[in-house]
Amino acid sequence: MDKKTYDAAPGIKDGDVLSYGSVQAPDTDTLDHGILHEFIGMYLRRAHETAYEDFRARLGDDALHPGYFTILTLIVRNPHISQTQIGTASARDKSSVTKALRWMEDEGMIVRLRSASDRRIHLSVATEKGIRQQAMMEAKAIGHLQSLNDAIGSERYATFIATLKDLIRNLESAASARGD
């Protein structure tokens, strides 16, 4: 058995073997979450994971990672888009965009062309395979979008989106002011 030190538990020393005895785990329905019930980030994460699972389940074997779908959609809709433009439009960092572009290029979904005016810039264009993949995913994703819209409700949709945009803008401004 692994020996562990339990500094936070008074009276328990290194090498002690713990036993549950007759102690029962707390009732799940009445767990004390402390301040966690106020953590918006926890609810945003859960909403994201639930939405991602719905997206994945609806698309099945045809699913790309949602971030890759976003990037492929931008490339299909905007031929000759630069990596910087993709990053800005998708709100993704350079390394995430680079990884996605390399994968899509290796899979034959896009080609990256070197700019004639600046050899450091690569412009992305979807191949026929990429266009077909994006169209097929988009057709299946419509049900996912409808599911999200139904869950939010038409009467709350505009307010919900505005609140999310405000949250993003305000947190980014605060981070910028702190020098993050």
Side-chain angles (χ1 to χ4, degrees), residues 77-175:
R77 303 277 184 193
N78 303 280
H80 301 102
I81 188 171
S82 73
Q83 183 169 329
T84 301
Q85 290 173 310
I86 292 168
T88 301
S90 66
R92 303 224 181 275
D93 62 82
K94 184 178 179 179
S95 64
S96 297
V97 172
T98 300
K99 180 180 174 183
L101 292 176
R102 284 186 182 146
W103 183 84
M104 285 184 232
E105 190 172 35
D106 290 347
E107 293 296 313
M109 293 183 191
I110 67 165
V111 293
R112 295 190 309 167
L113 310 169
R114 190 174 300 229
S115 170
S117 61
D118 187 342
R119 295 180 52 96
R120 296 170 296 171
I121 298 174
H122 288 85
L123 307 176
S124 295
V125 179
T127 63
E128 285 300 317
K129 179 180 179 180
I131 292 168
R132 283 192 311 274
Q133 176 74 23
Q134 191 281 333
M136 182 268 313
M137 287 184 67
E138 185 173 300
K140 289 184 174 185
I142 290 171
H144 169 68
L145 288 174
Q146 188 60 54
S147 177
L148 294 176
N149 292 343
D150 291 347
I152 295 164
S154 59
E155 67 284 352
R156 299 184 308 172
Y157 183 83
T159 302
F160 181 75
I161 296 299
T163 301
L164 290 174
K165 287 179 178 180
D166 287 346
L167 177 69
I168 294 163
R169 184 178 57 253
N170 292 335
L171 290 175
E172 287 177 343
S173 292

XYZ file of all heavy atoms in Angstrom, residues 77-175:
768
model
N -15.206 29.267 -46.504
C -15.959 30.507 -46.773
C -15.070 31.673 -47.182
O -15.572 32.667 -47.712
C -16.751 30.905 -45.526
C -17.705 29.869 -45.022
C -18.974 29.923 -45.768
N -19.923 28.967 -45.214
C -21.021 28.635 -45.813
N -21.331 29.172 -46.966
N -21.823 27.763 -45.275
N -13.771 31.575 -46.915
C -12.845 32.694 -47.167
C -11.555 32.182 -47.805
O -10.505 32.163 -47.163
C -12.516 33.413 -45.852
C -13.746 33.907 -45.154
O -14.293 34.928 -45.499
N -14.201 33.147 -44.156
N -11.627 31.760 -49.082
C -10.420 31.254 -49.742
C -9.270 32.261 -49.645
O -9.496 33.474 -49.699
C -10.856 31.071 -51.193
C -12.343 30.948 -51.133
C -12.778 31.794 -49.969
N -8.079 31.754 -49.453
C -6.854 32.549 -49.334
C -6.789 33.328 -48.017
O -6.150 34.362 -47.933
C -6.667 33.491 -50.536
C -6.605 32.746 -51.821
N -7.685 32.680 -52.690
C -5.612 32.003 -52.383
C -7.347 31.937 -53.726
N -6.091 31.511 -53.563
N -7.409 32.785 -46.980
C -7.368 33.399 -45.660
C -6.011 33.107 -45.018
O -5.459 32.015 -45.189
C -8.538 32.885 -44.776
C -8.623 33.660 -43.460
C -8.449 31.391 -44.546
C -9.898 33.340 -42.646
N -5.468 34.086 -44.308
C -4.168 33.889 -43.662
C -4.340 33.236 -42.290
O -5.424 33.251 -41.696
C -3.443 35.229 -43.493
O -4.052 35.995 -42.464
N -3.238 32.685 -41.805
C -3.264 32.042 -40.486
C -3.615 33.065 -39.403
O -4.348 32.752 -38.467
C -1.908 31.404 -40.208
C -1.856 30.653 -38.900
C -0.615 29.809 -38.760
O -0.077 29.316 -39.738
N -0.162 29.638 -37.542
N -3.114 34.280 -39.520
C -3.429 35.327 -38.546
C -4.917 35.641 -38.568
O -5.543 35.778 -37.506
C -2.605 36.600 -38.844
O -1.217 36.267 -38.795
C -2.908 37.699 -37.847
N -5.491 35.732 -39.752
C -6.929 35.992 -39.858
C -7.734 34.848 -39.256
O -8.736 35.080 -38.587
C -7.323 36.195 -41.327
C -6.821 37.482 -41.924
C -7.099 37.554 -43.414
O -6.794 36.620 -44.165
N -7.684 38.661 -43.841
N -7.302 33.610 -39.483
C -7.999 32.452 -38.911
C -7.957 32.519 -37.393
O -8.969 32.317 -36.722
C -7.381 31.130 -39.419
C -7.642 30.947 -40.918
C -7.925 29.940 -38.628
C -6.837 29.831 -41.560
N -6.782 32.806 -36.837
C -6.636 32.894 -35.391
C -7.536 33.962 -34.792
O -8.222 33.719 -33.781
N -7.567 35.126 -35.419
C -8.403 36.219 -34.922
C -9.885 35.874 -35.033
O -10.640 36.040 -34.071
C -8.108 37.517 -35.715
O -6.718 37.836 -35.558
C -8.961 38.671 -35.221
N -10.301 35.367 -36.181
C -11.720 35.071 -36.411
C -12.224 33.922 -35.543
O -13.397 33.888 -35.165
C -11.968 34.751 -37.885
N -11.337 32.966 -35.215
C -11.753 31.802 -34.432
C -11.413 31.936 -32.954
O -11.748 31.053 -32.162
C -11.100 30.533 -34.992
O -9.692 30.573 -34.819
N -10.749 33.028 -32.591
C -10.314 33.272 -31.216
C -9.444 32.123 -30.703
O -9.616 31.632 -29.598
C -11.503 33.520 -30.297
N -8.513 31.690 -31.549
C -7.604 30.604 -31.193
C -6.168 31.116 -31.269
O -5.833 31.960 -32.106
C -7.774 29.427 -32.144
C -9.191 28.911 -32.187
C -9.214 27.412 -32.143
N -10.552 26.892 -32.213
C -11.358 26.738 -31.176
N -10.983 27.102 -29.986
N -12.565 26.232 -31.325
N -5.313 30.543 -30.414
C -3.912 30.953 -30.421
C -3.193 30.363 -31.628
O -3.655 29.415 -32.255
C -3.215 30.553 -29.114
C -3.204 29.054 -28.913
O -2.321 28.395 -29.490
O -4.084 28.552 -28.202
N -2.039 30.942 -31.923
C -1.283 30.575 -33.121
C -0.930 29.090 -33.159
O -1.033 28.444 -34.204
C -0.011 31.429 -33.192
C 0.803 31.198 -34.433
C 2.017 32.109 -34.472
C 2.842 31.830 -35.723
N 4.002 32.692 -35.818
N -0.529 28.527 -32.011
C -0.123 27.119 -32.012
C -1.303 26.197 -32.299
O -1.145 25.186 -32.990
C 0.544 26.741 -30.683
O -0.354 26.850 -29.614
N -2.498 26.526 -31.789
C -3.692 25.716 -32.072
C -4.059 25.775 -33.545
O -4.408 24.756 -34.146
C -4.882 26.201 -31.242
O -4.638 26.036 -29.879
N -3.969 26.970 -34.120
C -4.284 27.136 -35.536
C -3.260 26.381 -36.389
O -3.626 25.668 -37.322
C -4.349 28.632 -35.925
C -4.492 28.803 -37.436
C -5.495 29.325 -35.196
N -1.990 26.505 -36.034
C -0.934 25.818 -36.786
C -1.148 24.310 -36.767
O -1.064 23.646 -37.808
C 0.449 26.158 -36.201
O 0.649 27.572 -36.295
C 1.560 25.433 -36.946
N -1.432 23.761 -35.598
C -1.667 22.316 -35.467
C -2.850 21.879 -36.333
O -2.776 20.877 -37.050
C -1.930 21.977 -34.003
C -2.175 20.516 -33.748
C -2.440 20.270 -32.261
C -2.818 18.824 -32.030
N -3.146 18.578 -30.621
N -3.938 22.626 -36.283
C -5.127 22.290 -37.074
C -4.824 22.366 -38.567
O -5.212 21.471 -39.331
C -6.281 23.221 -36.720
N -4.132 23.420 -38.991
C -3.820 23.579 -40.412
C -2.918 22.457 -40.910
O -3.143 21.923 -42.004
C -3.174 24.942 -40.668
C -4.080 26.156 -40.471
C -3.282 27.448 -40.653
C -5.282 26.125 -41.398
N -1.936 22.086 -40.108
C -1.046 20.983 -40.517
C -1.829 19.681 -40.658
O -1.620 18.924 -41.603
C 0.089 20.818 -39.507
C 1.142 21.874 -39.652
C 2.326 21.624 -38.752
N 3.281 22.714 -38.916
C 4.033 23.187 -37.932
N 3.949 22.668 -36.734
N 4.863 24.171 -38.161
N -2.701 19.419 -39.678
C -3.496 18.199 -39.735
C -4.394 18.199 -40.973
O -4.475 17.200 -41.685
C -4.333 18.041 -38.464
C -5.114 16.772 -38.454
C -4.687 15.536 -38.061
C -6.468 16.594 -38.894
N -5.688 14.605 -38.226
C -6.793 15.236 -38.736
C -7.430 17.462 -39.405
C -8.041 14.716 -39.074
C -8.672 16.954 -39.732
C -8.968 15.585 -39.572
N -5.083 19.327 -41.233
C -5.982 19.412 -42.394
C -5.206 19.295 -43.699
O -5.683 18.676 -44.655
C -6.771 20.717 -42.356
C -7.878 20.715 -41.342
S -8.836 22.241 -41.438
C -8.779 22.735 -39.735
N -4.011 19.846 -43.730
C -3.184 19.732 -44.927
C -2.756 18.270 -45.121
O -2.853 17.743 -46.232
C -1.955 20.638 -44.784
C -1.151 20.789 -46.045
C -0.070 21.847 -45.904
O 0.508 22.002 -44.801
O 0.205 22.504 -46.919
N -2.337 17.608 -44.049
C -1.949 16.192 -44.125
C -3.119 15.305 -44.547
O -2.925 14.296 -45.222
C -1.411 15.704 -42.780
C -0.060 16.288 -42.424
O 0.600 16.881 -43.314
O 0.332 16.177 -41.239
N -4.337 15.670 -44.140
C -5.537 14.906 -44.486
C -6.081 15.253 -45.869
O -7.076 14.680 -46.313
C -6.628 15.139 -43.435
C -6.298 14.571 -42.069
C -6.181 13.058 -42.094
O -7.049 12.388 -42.670
O -5.186 12.544 -41.518
N -5.464 16.221 -46.548
C -5.890 16.602 -47.894
C -7.124 17.482 -47.924
O -7.796 17.582 -48.955
N -7.446 18.138 -46.828
C -8.635 19.006 -46.780
C -8.333 20.437 -47.200
O -9.238 21.157 -47.623
C -9.232 19.014 -45.376
C -9.820 17.692 -44.971
S -10.568 17.837 -43.357
C -10.849 16.116 -43.010
N -7.083 20.847 -47.054
C -6.678 22.193 -47.442
C -5.313 22.142 -48.106
O -4.575 21.164 -47.973
C -6.614 23.174 -46.244
C -5.482 22.783 -45.282
C -7.947 23.276 -45.532
C -5.093 23.861 -44.285
N -4.999 23.216 -48.804
C -3.633 23.469 -49.250
C -3.255 24.840 -48.720
O -4.106 25.726 -48.591
C -3.465 23.412 -50.792
C -3.671 22.013 -51.309
C -4.397 24.377 -51.481
N -1.985 24.968 -48.388
C -1.495 26.262 -47.913
C -0.537 26.803 -48.955
O 0.432 26.145 -49.339
C -0.830 26.139 -46.547
C -1.848 25.726 -45.510
C -1.374 25.808 -44.086
N -0.111 25.147 -43.841
C 0.596 25.315 -42.728
N 0.168 26.120 -41.783
N 1.726 24.682 -42.554
N -0.830 27.998 -49.412
C -0.051 28.637 -50.463
C 0.794 29.751 -49.857
O 0.309 30.506 -49.010
C -0.988 29.229 -51.518
C -2.080 28.285 -52.056
C -3.095 29.053 -52.871
C -1.429 27.176 -52.864
N 2.028 29.840 -50.298
C 2.900 30.907 -49.808
C 2.552 32.205 -50.539
O 2.387 32.223 -51.757
C 4.348 30.538 -50.046
C 5.320 31.473 -49.346
C 6.714 30.966 -49.496
N 6.787 29.650 -48.898
C 7.704 29.275 -48.041
N 8.628 30.105 -47.673
N 7.726 28.057 -47.555
N 2.426 33.259 -49.789
C 2.109 34.558 -50.364
C 3.254 35.018 -51.268
O 4.429 34.893 -50.906
C 1.892 35.581 -49.242
O 1.816 36.890 -49.771
N 2.904 35.562 -52.425
C 3.916 36.071 -53.352
C 4.559 37.342 -52.808
O 5.730 37.609 -53.062
C 3.290 36.343 -54.720
N 3.818 38.104 -52.022
C 4.333 39.374 -51.511
C 5.109 39.228 -50.203
O 5.936 40.076 -49.885
C 3.191 40.378 -51.332
O 2.263 39.878 -50.392
N 4.839 38.176 -49.437
C 5.525 37.977 -48.153
C 5.637 36.481 -47.902
O 4.662 35.834 -47.535
C 4.755 38.674 -47.026
C 5.499 38.644 -45.703
O 6.429 37.810 -45.535
O 5.154 39.447 -44.826
N 6.831 35.931 -48.061
C 7.034 34.477 -47.982
C 6.745 33.909 -46.593
O 6.639 32.714 -46.423
C 8.448 34.123 -48.435
C 8.658 34.441 -49.919
C 10.051 34.082 -50.374
N 10.431 32.728 -50.049
C 10.330 31.687 -50.873
N 9.843 31.870 -52.076
N 10.717 30.493 -50.486
N 6.626 34.765 -45.585
C 6.302 34.282 -44.235
C 4.815 33.989 -44.088
O 4.398 33.318 -43.162
C 6.704 35.329 -43.185
C 8.204 35.588 -43.133
C 8.498 36.781 -42.272
N 7.911 37.954 -42.902
C 7.816 39.148 -42.349
N 8.265 39.359 -41.145
N 7.267 40.150 -42.991
N 4.010 34.491 -44.990
C 2.555 34.344 -44.900
C 2.093 33.182 -45.782
O 2.469 33.084 -46.952
C 1.838 35.645 -45.334
C 2.222 36.789 -44.389
C 0.331 35.452 -45.362
C 1.691 38.146 -44.824
N 1.283 32.314 -45.189
C 0.665 31.218 -45.931
C -0.834 31.471 -45.979
O -1.447 31.814 -44.969
C 0.938 29.871 -45.257
C 2.343 29.433 -45.408
N 3.342 29.839 -44.560
C 2.933 28.629 -46.330
C 4.480 29.306 -44.948
N 4.262 28.562 -46.012
N -1.400 31.310 -47.144
C -2.832 31.494 -47.342
C -3.455 30.122 -47.553
O -2.945 29.316 -48.322
C -3.085 32.405 -48.547
C -2.348 33.751 -48.504
C -2.599 34.527 -49.790
C -2.760 34.565 -47.290
N -4.555 29.868 -46.871
C -5.179 28.540 -46.914
C -6.374 28.522 -47.853
O -7.173 29.463 -47.886
C -5.628 28.132 -45.512
O -4.504 27.985 -44.673
N -6.487 27.410 -48.576
C -7.590 27.187 -49.508
C -8.080 25.750 -49.296
O -7.268 24.829 -49.166
C -7.130 27.355 -50.978
C -8.275 27.090 -51.947
C -6.534 28.734 -51.203
N -9.381 25.573 -49.259
C -9.949 24.230 -49.083
C -9.875 23.451 -50.398
O -10.072 24.006 -51.475
C -11.394 24.330 -48.618
N -9.597 22.175 -50.276
C -9.630 21.276 -51.431
C -11.078 20.803 -51.601
O -11.942 21.081 -50.765
C -8.722 20.059 -51.187
O -9.235 19.340 -50.066
C -7.274 20.475 -50.954
N -11.317 20.056 -52.669
C -12.656 19.476 -52.851
C -13.025 18.595 -51.665
O -14.161 18.616 -51.183
C -12.733 18.681 -54.161
C -12.821 19.540 -55.402
C -14.048 20.441 -55.405
O -15.157 19.980 -55.044
O -13.896 21.625 -55.763
N -12.058 17.820 -51.177
C -12.309 16.966 -50.008
C -12.691 17.815 -48.796
O -13.626 17.487 -48.063
C -11.068 16.129 -49.695
C -11.238 15.239 -48.474
C -9.976 14.424 -48.187
C -10.164 13.560 -46.943
N -8.954 12.781 -46.651
N -11.981 18.903 -48.565
C -12.279 19.787 -47.442
C -13.638 20.445 -47.578
O -14.386 20.580 -46.595
N -13.978 20.846 -48.797
C -15.288 21.476 -49.049
C -16.407 20.475 -48.778
O -17.402 20.805 -48.131
C -15.350 22.029 -50.493
C -14.388 23.219 -50.629
C -16.780 22.421 -50.862
C -14.143 23.659 -52.069
N -16.232 19.238 -49.242
C -17.245 18.195 -48.990
C -17.367 17.907 -47.488
O -18.465 17.778 -46.960
C -16.905 16.914 -49.748
C -17.221 16.952 -51.227
C -17.130 15.569 -51.881
N -15.905 14.838 -51.567
C -14.759 14.957 -52.240
N -14.687 15.767 -53.273
N -13.703 14.242 -51.876
N -16.234 17.784 -46.800
C -16.231 17.503 -45.358
C -16.947 18.609 -44.596
O -17.788 18.357 -43.737
C -14.793 17.358 -44.846
C -14.674 17.168 -43.347
C -15.084 15.779 -42.889
O -15.062 14.837 -43.672
N -15.443 15.666 -41.630
N -16.632 19.845 -44.913
C -17.247 20.979 -44.216
C -18.741 21.031 -44.497
O -19.541 21.235 -43.583
C -16.562 22.289 -44.636
C -16.940 23.487 -43.795
C -18.289 24.088 -44.145
O -18.760 23.984 -45.282
N -18.907 24.724 -43.168
N -19.154 20.812 -45.733
C -20.580 20.854 -46.086
C -21.354 19.754 -45.371
O -22.456 19.975 -44.855
C -20.755 20.745 -47.596
N -20.776 18.560 -45.330
C -21.433 17.446 -44.656
C -21.564 17.723 -43.162
O -22.613 17.514 -42.564
C -20.627 16.166 -44.910
C -21.210 14.909 -44.321
S -20.581 14.573 -42.667
C -18.839 14.812 -42.877
N -20.502 18.246 -42.562
C -20.554 18.554 -41.132
C -21.532 19.681 -40.848
O -22.273 19.645 -39.871
C -19.162 18.927 -40.615
C -18.231 17.731 -40.495
S -16.644 18.174 -39.777
C -17.127 18.600 -38.104
N -21.535 20.678 -41.702
C -22.451 21.805 -41.502
C -23.904 21.337 -41.565
O -24.735 21.765 -40.755
C -22.194 22.891 -42.547
C -23.016 24.148 -42.326
C -22.615 25.261 -43.260
O -21.448 25.685 -43.227
O -23.499 25.710 -44.038
N -24.203 20.459 -42.514
C -25.575 19.951 -42.628
C -25.990 19.216 -41.352
O -27.112 19.384 -40.857
C -25.689 19.028 -43.839
N -25.085 18.417 -40.788
C -25.398 17.700 -39.552
C -25.397 18.631 -38.336
O -26.113 18.399 -37.367
C -24.406 16.566 -39.330
C -24.580 15.410 -40.292
C -23.624 14.285 -39.939
C -23.853 13.063 -40.787
N -22.991 11.944 -40.357
N -24.573 19.668 -38.385
C -24.458 20.588 -37.247
C -25.698 21.460 -37.080
O -25.911 22.023 -36.002
C -23.219 21.464 -37.410
N -26.526 21.566 -38.099
C -27.740 22.382 -37.995
C -28.629 21.868 -36.868
O -29.198 22.652 -36.109
C -28.478 22.434 -39.354
C -27.647 23.269 -40.332
C -29.886 23.000 -39.193
C -28.135 23.239 -41.749
N -28.737 20.553 -36.715
C -29.507 19.985 -35.605
C -28.913 20.344 -34.259
O -29.637 20.615 -33.291
N -27.592 20.374 -34.175
C -26.904 20.774 -32.952
C -27.226 22.237 -32.623
O -27.551 22.563 -31.482
C -25.401 20.565 -33.110
C -24.578 21.166 -32.030
N -24.595 20.705 -30.729
C -23.693 22.196 -32.052
C -23.764 21.434 -30.003
N -23.202 22.332 -30.790
N -27.134 23.096 -33.630
C -27.455 24.513 -33.421
C -28.892 24.689 -32.946
O -29.166 25.474 -32.033
C -27.242 25.305 -34.713
C -25.806 25.518 -35.139
C -25.752 26.179 -36.511
C -25.064 26.335 -34.108
N -29.805 23.958 -33.550
C -31.210 24.051 -33.150
C -31.393 23.589 -31.709
O -32.146 24.188 -30.943
C -32.106 23.255 -34.093
C -33.584 23.476 -33.854
C -33.964 24.943 -34.036
O -33.684 25.543 -35.059
N -34.590 25.527 -33.024
N -30.674 22.532 -31.333
C -30.744 22.028 -29.964
C -30.273 23.084 -28.964
O -30.899 23.300 -27.924
C -29.895 20.762 -29.845
O -29.878 20.292 -28.520
N -29.159 23.744 -29.276
C -28.659 24.816 -28.409
C -29.643 25.978 -28.348
O -29.938 26.504 -27.264
C -27.298 25.308 -28.892
C -26.130 24.328 -28.802
C -24.878 24.935 -29.410
C -25.876 23.912 -27.372
N -30.158 26.379 -29.498
C -31.117 27.489 -29.536
C -32.372 27.155 -28.743
O -32.910 28.005 -28.024
C -31.468 27.856 -30.973
C -30.292 28.470 -31.705
O -29.318 28.907 -31.102
N -30.364 28.470 -33.020
N -32.849 25.926 -28.860
C -34.026 25.505 -28.098
C -33.745 25.523 -26.599
O -34.602 25.901 -25.800
C -34.486 24.109 -28.521
C -35.068 24.066 -29.923
O -35.359 25.150 -30.494
O -35.213 22.947 -30.456
N -32.555 25.097 -26.213
C -32.198 25.064 -24.793
C -32.119 26.472 -24.213
O -32.503 26.696 -23.060
C -30.869 24.340 -24.602
N -31.642 27.420 -25.001
C -31.542 28.809 -24.538
C -32.910 29.477 -24.570
O -33.275 30.192 -23.649
C -30.529 29.592 -25.405
C -29.132 29.013 -25.205
C -30.560 31.084 -25.077
C -28.132 29.442 -26.265
N -33.661 29.222 -25.621
C -34.976 29.836 -25.792
C -34.879 31.099 -26.615
O -33.984 31.922 -26.396
N -35.793 31.252 -27.543
C -35.743 32.397 -28.461
C -35.871 33.734 -27.725
O -35.279 34.730 -28.133
C -36.832 32.285 -29.535
O -38.107 32.225 -28.924
N -36.613 33.728 -26.619
C -36.801 34.979 -25.880
C -35.540 35.396 -25.109
O -35.376 36.554 -24.749
C -37.994 34.875 -24.914
C -37.797 33.905 -23.754
C -37.927 32.419 -24.109
O -38.321 32.073 -25.237
O -37.629 31.611 -23.219
N -34.620 34.450 -24.885
C -33.400 34.766 -24.131
C -32.151 34.766 -25.008
O -31.078 35.134 -24.534
C -33.206 33.750 -22.996
C -34.324 33.742 -21.995
C -34.080 32.805 -20.831
N -33.725 31.450 -21.287
C -33.313 30.485 -20.497
N -33.187 30.689 -19.211
N -33.021 29.293 -20.971
N -32.273 34.357 -26.248
C -31.111 34.164 -27.108
C -30.255 35.429 -27.234
O -29.041 35.388 -26.994
C -31.546 33.672 -28.491
C -30.379 33.388 -29.406
C -29.707 32.176 -29.331
C -29.934 34.330 -30.321
C -28.617 31.910 -30.154
C -28.849 34.087 -31.144
C -28.197 32.871 -31.055
O -27.119 32.623 -31.856
N -30.848 36.544 -27.646
C -30.081 37.783 -27.865
C -29.388 38.231 -26.580
O -28.218 38.633 -26.604
C -30.985 38.883 -28.409
N -30.082 38.145 -25.465
C -29.495 38.541 -24.182
C -28.362 37.605 -23.797
O -27.315 38.047 -23.310
C -30.577 38.551 -23.076
O -31.612 39.449 -23.474
C -30.013 38.964 -21.750
N -28.556 36.315 -24.022
C -27.530 35.325 -23.695
C -26.254 35.587 -24.485
O -25.154 35.621 -23.918
C -28.072 33.916 -23.975
C -27.117 32.812 -23.653
C -26.877 32.450 -22.339
C -26.465 32.121 -24.664
C -25.989 31.419 -22.038
C -25.586 31.092 -24.370
C -25.349 30.748 -23.049
N -26.377 35.779 -25.789
C -25.209 36.029 -26.639
C -24.546 37.335 -26.240
O -23.312 37.414 -26.132
C -25.602 36.042 -28.135
C -26.122 34.674 -28.571
C -24.440 36.496 -29.016
C -25.129 33.531 -28.439
N -25.322 38.376 -25.990
C -24.757 39.663 -25.567
C -24.013 39.521 -24.243
O -22.924 40.097 -24.065
C -25.867 40.713 -25.448
N -24.555 38.752 -23.327
C -23.898 38.532 -22.036
C -22.573 37.806 -22.214
O -21.561 38.177 -21.600
C -24.825 37.745 -21.084
O -26.031 38.492 -20.889
C -24.166 37.486 -19.745
N -22.548 36.778 -23.046
C -21.298 36.058 -23.302
C -20.258 36.984 -23.944
O -19.078 36.963 -23.558
C -21.545 34.839 -24.189
C -22.303 33.684 -23.544
C -22.601 32.608 -24.585
C -21.535 33.101 -22.373
N -20.674 37.781 -24.903
C -19.747 38.718 -25.551
C -19.226 39.747 -24.549
O -18.033 40.085 -24.566
C -20.426 39.412 -26.738
C -20.621 38.494 -27.922
C -21.310 39.229 -29.066
C -21.470 38.340 -30.288
N -22.141 39.043 -31.400
N -20.101 40.242 -23.681
C -19.673 41.186 -22.637
C -18.666 40.524 -21.698
O -17.659 41.133 -21.321
C -20.866 41.687 -21.813
C -21.745 42.670 -22.559
O -21.321 43.190 -23.617
O -22.876 42.919 -22.084
N -18.936 39.295 -21.305
C -18.040 38.551 -20.425
C -16.657 38.432 -21.057
O -15.635 38.724 -20.421
C -18.623 37.169 -20.129
C -17.784 36.226 -19.280
C -17.696 36.728 -17.851
C -18.373 34.824 -19.304
N -16.614 38.030 -22.304
C -15.346 37.884 -23.020
C -14.623 39.221 -23.102
O -13.438 39.329 -22.753
C -15.575 37.291 -24.429
C -16.099 35.862 -24.326
C -14.302 37.371 -25.283
C -16.724 35.341 -25.605
N -15.307 40.237 -23.563
C -14.702 41.560 -23.745
C -14.188 42.109 -22.418
O -13.053 42.582 -22.327
C -15.702 42.521 -24.380
C -15.125 43.898 -24.687
C -16.112 44.848 -25.355
N -17.311 45.017 -24.550
C -18.505 44.485 -24.848
N -18.652 43.767 -25.936
N -19.550 44.696 -24.073
N -14.995 42.022 -21.365
C -14.598 42.578 -20.074
C -13.428 41.821 -19.453
O -12.525 42.436 -18.872
C -15.787 42.611 -19.111
C -16.845 43.613 -19.551
O -16.558 44.569 -20.255
N -18.078 43.385 -19.150
N -13.434 40.497 -19.560
C -12.317 39.725 -19.011
C -11.034 39.962 -19.815
O -9.939 40.042 -19.240
C -12.658 38.241 -18.952
C -13.705 37.846 -17.914
C -14.038 36.364 -18.030
C -13.251 38.188 -16.505
N -11.150 40.074 -21.131
C -9.974 40.368 -21.946
C -9.428 41.767 -21.635
O -8.217 41.954 -21.542
C -10.293 40.235 -23.435
C -10.448 38.802 -23.889
C -10.843 38.658 -25.347
O -11.323 39.623 -25.976
O -10.691 37.526 -25.869
N -10.314 42.733 -21.436
C -9.880 44.090 -21.076
C -9.177 44.106 -19.723
O -8.163 44.765 -19.555
C -11.083 45.050 -21.036
O -11.596 45.254 -22.319
N -9.743 43.388 -18.766
C -9.130 43.333 -17.427
C -7.750 42.671 -17.504
O -6.802 43.136 -16.858
C -10.048 42.583 -16.462
N -7.634 41.600 -18.286
C -6.352 40.907 -18.437
C -5.331 41.830 -19.105
O -4.154 41.878 -18.706
C -6.521 39.631 -19.238
